Amino acid sequence: MTHWFDGPLAAFDTETTGVDVEADRIVSAAVVVQDTPGGRPRITRWLVNPGVPVPPAATEVHGLTDDHLQRNGRWPAPVMEEIARSLAEQCAASRPLVVMNAPFDLTILDRELRRHRASSLARYLANVPLCVLDPRVLDKHLDRYRKGRRTLTDLCAQYEVTLDGAHDAAADALAAMEVVRAVGRRFASRLDRLSVAELHTLQAVWHAAQARGLQAWFARSGAPEPVDPAWPLRPEMPAAA
């Protein structure tokens, strides 16, 4: 019997103008598909001219400048359509979708679809089963008492996954996929009897609990920063009255 972590997986990642899913924009994205561990990945990349300036702080992270994106990036509307259709295709093919910090990447894609296509991610996924594997949520639940940060770079070090070219969407997506496979193998006794659909449901519960814990930590630290418990996609913000 092949366990889900040894079977086909897809992974999705974005690079953006910032960390505000409601206001920032996608500048690059990638979907990576791999049929077996160590198999040759099939990679689809997108480069986007977001139509807004890219802050220097964002360029420092991913290296994408205004000039490069204006010369080589495509307009957002067709790109967002292609990305959403690609994710729907992966779900229709029953490939679990690996997304590191899913509420960020999936939500910012949803907001871009609303902005440029007058649509939503939910519409593209309406007829397919969405099964997300979020390495951050999985690791934090399964190894909850380990101290230290849990960025993708940290998780790659923890699970001995090579990350070449961090903050390139394709490199990050592939690394997140390898981390998920490594998490599955390390905690096989706790995970191998769970289907991906069951794991998807459980991660929503685990993430909500993790968000409550982080919110409490912020409160004790005197920083009233809100933490959204929604996973894997944040609900649409209500329109201002």
Side-chain angles (χ1 to χ4, degrees):
M1 176 182 175
T2 300
H3 301 303
W4 59 262
F5 46 82
D6 289 326
L9 294 177
F12 171 60
D13 190 72
T14 66
E15 298 298 329
T16 64
T17 60
V19 297
D20 184 346
V21 295
E22 305 297 339
D24 281 307
R25 311 297 175 89
I26 294 173
V27 295
S28 70
V31 170
V32 177
V33 179
Q34 187 184 52
D35 294 325
T36 58
R40 184 173 182 177
R42 303 188 296 280
I43 301 174
T44 305
R45 294 179 173 89
W46 293 269
L47 193 66
V48 187
N49 179 353
V52 299
V54 180
T59 297
E60 287 181 11
V61 173
H62 49 58
L64 298 171
T65 65
D66 277 330
D67 181 66
H68 180 75
L69 293 171
Q70 289 169 13
R71 289 175 180 270
N72 301 287
R74 297 169 56 202
W75 290 114
V79 172
M80 302 310 150
E81 168 91 6
E82 290 172 16
I83 295 172
R85 288 190 180 278
S86 178
L87 297 188
E89 288 171 7
Q90 304 313 318
C91 294
S94 299
R95 293 190 191 98
L97 187 63
V98 175
V99 190
M100 173 72 183
N101 191 17
F104 179 82
D105 289 85
L106 295 182
T107 303
I108 200 168
L109 173 60
D110 176 78
R111 302 315 190 249
E112 288 278 57
L113 288 166
R114 293 174 187 274
R115 183 177 294 119
H116 297 292
R117 304 295 305 185
S119 187
S120 69
L121 185 56
R123 291 182 185 177
Y124 286 90
L125 302 178
N127 298 314
V128 294
L130 176 64
C131 290
V132 174
L133 296 169
D134 188 331
R136 187 169 181 267
V137 175
L138 290 170
D139 171 74
K140 196 169 184 179
H141 177 78
L142 294 164
D143 197 359
R144 67 181 68 184
Y145 299 113
R146 189 181 79 248
K147 296 187 181 299
R149 303 195 314 162
R150 299 178 194 249
T151 67
L152 181 58
T153 300
D154 298 318
L155 295 184
C156 285
Q158 176 68 23
Y159 291 96
E160 300 180 347
V161 169
T162 300
L163 175 54
D164 291 325
H167 299 298
D168 169 82
D172 285 357
L174 181 58
M177 181 188 294
E178 295 298 333
V179 168
V180 162
R181 292 195 189 279
V183 169
R185 289 189 292 269
R186 183 172 298 185
F187 297 99
S189 63
R190 297 168 63 183
L191 296 176
D192 62 359
R193 294 187 180 182
L194 294 171
S195 69
V196 177
E198 290 170 329
L199 262 181
H200 178 93
T201 301
L202 286 170
Q203 284 171 99
V205 176
W206 296 344
H207 179 271
Q210 292 163 9
R212 289 193 297 270
L214 184 58
Q215 186 78 75
W217 185 86
F218 281 142
R220 291 193 300 270
S221 303
E225 184 175 341
V227 182
D228 196 321
W231 184 96
L233 178 68
R234 297 175 188 171
E236 182 184 12
M237 291 185 67

